[in-house]
Amino acid sequence: MESSLEAQVGPLRLERPTVLASGILGISVEIFGRLHGAGAGAIVSKSISVEPRDGYPGPTVVPLGGGGWINAVGLSNPGAAAFAGMIRDNRTVPIIVSLVGSAPEEFSSMVERFEGCHIAGYEINLSCPHVDDVGLEVGDDPELVSRVVRATKSAASVPVFAKVGLGRSDYLDTVSAAIDAGADGITAINTVQALAIDIEAQRPKLSNGIGGLSGIPIGTIAQRCVAQIHSQFDIPIMGCGGVSTWEDAVALVLAGASAVQLGSALGYGSPDRVFADVNDGIARYMERKGVRSVREMVGRALA
Amino acid sequence: MHETSHIVQVTSVRDETATVHTLEFDDSTMAAALPGQFAMVWVPGIGEIPMSVMVADGGRAAFTVRRHGEATTGLYNLGPGEMMGVRGPYGNSFDIRAGRLLLVGGGTGLVPLMRLISRAPPDADITLVMGARTRPEVFFADTARALLRPRPHCIVVCTDDGSYGRPGLATDAAADELSGGAFDAVYACGPEIMMYKVMRLAQDAGVFAQASVERIMKCGTGICGSCCMGRELVCGDGTVFEAGRLLANPDFGVRYRTKSGEVAYY
């Protein structure tokens, strides 16, 4: 029996179900190509804004031990025009461009910048937990979510995903607003707002104070959210949060994810091995369980 | 090696030049760092920067910092008894060969080369070329002499303006050394254009060569991608690379990324 690692996330077809999460390994097309060659089914870029951003002073990304990380990078990115120039010659790597901003017009103008670029989709960042006026502050306002998704959808000719996280309002309202506005899929979840204090220095470990928790500690939160979205909405989901092994990836699929994003796992594994190892593990699991496609497993744990 | 950062206390500060300090501290983790490995160094309230680990006596380690931006100035200004956070050591290290070694360094790029000297086989014959712009900017000459004293060695100090030692660029001195004798390995660390020339010279001479590369780093652990150089991540794949790999890299000696990720040229 031949099983296939192909994944279908709504209109987005992926040769493999593992995707690089946004914010990880930045904005270099050469690095994207390397990760794609090493097994990633697609690459989500760092979140891109209209204008370039330097981000916060260090420390911006700090390991916490136990496979946990906290970060507040401050959305550093070269801006939409420069990034569009960087990826213009790409023909082979499925790049999903993550967009961040505070007004609907910013999103449509950024999409226009990417016209002519070979990209697989957009992911709207509605959940960055550590920058004012964008990310979670947009995600917490379902009416604004609706306008942002609509603006992006109307400008884009490729699938649009909305990335949600745990903010002040019920994230399921954000999901609902994004779906009503025409989102092709949901990415869940982003990092979870957190604070880590250094007791010797007697101050936060990050220059920004508040940051986003990622890695192993948030894996089960991600499973819960993916399962909730899957059970309440008819929408494809890219699961994200705490995936470092093939077991974590399978668990997210069984919770309801059609594909799985990896991020912090790159911090404890080789960029040349992490995706292949997870893909191989999923394939062996499917073989053992007599499953022919990733699609058959989506949401099976809660069916 | 991704455990959380720990706080260490500066035990002493040494003036190297008017703008360069060496800060020593007690820490067994950093004292064990290999030549070329680096630490992410946190100056609480100011910033965090990658620093190559400098040699120090006993179970101590050190950082040698030139004040330049906010974080390096914050580190430079730390005095004895003050705290800094360190995590790592991260990255790979020099492949230290036996025989005749040529070391070429400029400025704080000499730091990993000092550590390399301290870890080289006792019978290795080391020629050290040290470059600086002007006489007041020369440092580590005494440190190098002390480290090299027990072994066959030669030290060539160059200043760009000719105010001390051999007049001219370190790369010119390196070229002379390479044409004058058979070396078994070349190691370089310093300004990227200098390293590029040294790697090219070594490759032309058919000598094994490595350089330790510097890029903007935020995480130090292969997550953020700030330090990308072509397909390489300087933090995780380096910081030490062989000449052939460097010279095949479209970015090496040509361009780098700014804090925002925009491309800038040397």
Side-chain angles (χ1 to χ4, degrees), chain A residues 223-246:
Chain A
Q223 288 179 33
R224 182 265 293 185
C225 294
V226 166
Q228 280 181 325
I229 298 167
H230 183 70
S231 67
Q232 294 186 32
F233 302 95
D234 180 21
I235 187 84
I237 303 162
M238 275 200 273
C240 183
V243 176
S244 66
T245 64
W246 68 264

Side-chain angles (χ1 to χ4, degrees), chain B residues 13-23 54 63-68 72 76-77 106-111 130-143 157-159 164:
Chain B
V13 177
R14 193 166 62 239
D15 282 323
E16 304 289 0
T17 72
T19 57
V20 177
H21 273 170
T22 294
L23 298 88
M54 176 60 187
F63 298 124
T64 298
V65 60
R66 180 193 303 279
R67 63 180 158 86
H68 177 68
T72 52
Y76 174 93
N77 286 336
T108 51
L110 286 159
V111 166
M130 309 172 62
R133 272 177 301 190
T134 63
R135 179 172 195 150
E137 289 170 275
V138 174
F139 62 95
F140 282 172
D142 292 341
T143 307
V157 181
C158 317
T159 51
Y164 183 73

Side-chain angles (χ1 to χ4, degrees), chain B residues 59-253:
Chain B
R60 292 202 295 280
F63 298 124
T64 298
V65 60
R66 180 193 303 279
R67 63 180 158 86
H68 177 68
E70 221 170 305
T72 52
T73 303
L75 185 57
Y76 174 93
N77 286 336
L78 288 184
E82 292 194 278
M83 289 183 299
M84 57 186 172
V86 294
R87 55 189 178 90
Y90 296 127
N92 65 0
S93 61
F94 286 110
D95 172 7
I96 309 175
R97 301 286 171 96
R100 285 196 72 201
L101 312 179
L102 174 62
L103 279 52
V104 187
T108 51
L110 286 159
V111 166
L113 301 182
M114 294 298 117
R115 207 165 184 83
L116 192 159
I117 292 170
S118 74
R119 299 292 184 106
D123 55 349
D125 178 344
I126 296 179
T127 298
L128 172 66
V129 174
M130 309 172 62
R133 272 177 301 190
T134 63
R135 179 172 195 150
E137 289 170 275
V138 174
F139 62 95
F140 282 172
D142 292 341
T143 307
R145 258 176 233 120
L147 284 169
L148 286 167
R149 189 167 299 130
R151 65 170 76 245
H153 73 274
C154 168
I155 298 176
V156 182
V157 181
C158 317
T159 51
D160 297 358
D161 71 349
S163 56
Y164 183 73
R166 181 193 152 119
L169 299 171
T171 47
D172 296 334
D176 286 354
E177 293 295 334
L178 276 166
S179 64
F183 284 93
D184 296 290
V186 176
Y187 305 98
C189 188
E192 193 150 315
I193 300 296
M194 182 209 89
M195 291 193 285
Y196 181 88
K197 287 181 185 163
V198 173
M199 292 300 103
R200 174 76 62 209
L201 287 167
Q203 196 180 54
D204 291 347
V207 181
F208 170 83
Q210 291 182 319
S212 171
V213 177
E214 186 173 9
R215 282 291 183 278
I216 285 177
M217 284 182 190
K218 294 179 181 174
C219 73
T221 62
I223 285 189
C224 76
S226 300
C227 67
C228 64
M229 175 179 69
R231 289 171 65 88
E232 313 278 10
L233 293 170
V234 170
C235 72
D237 299 317
T239 63
V240 177
F241 298 92
E242 280 185 38
R245 198 161 151 188
L246 285 172
L247 294 171
N249 190 302
D251 285 10
F252 179 65

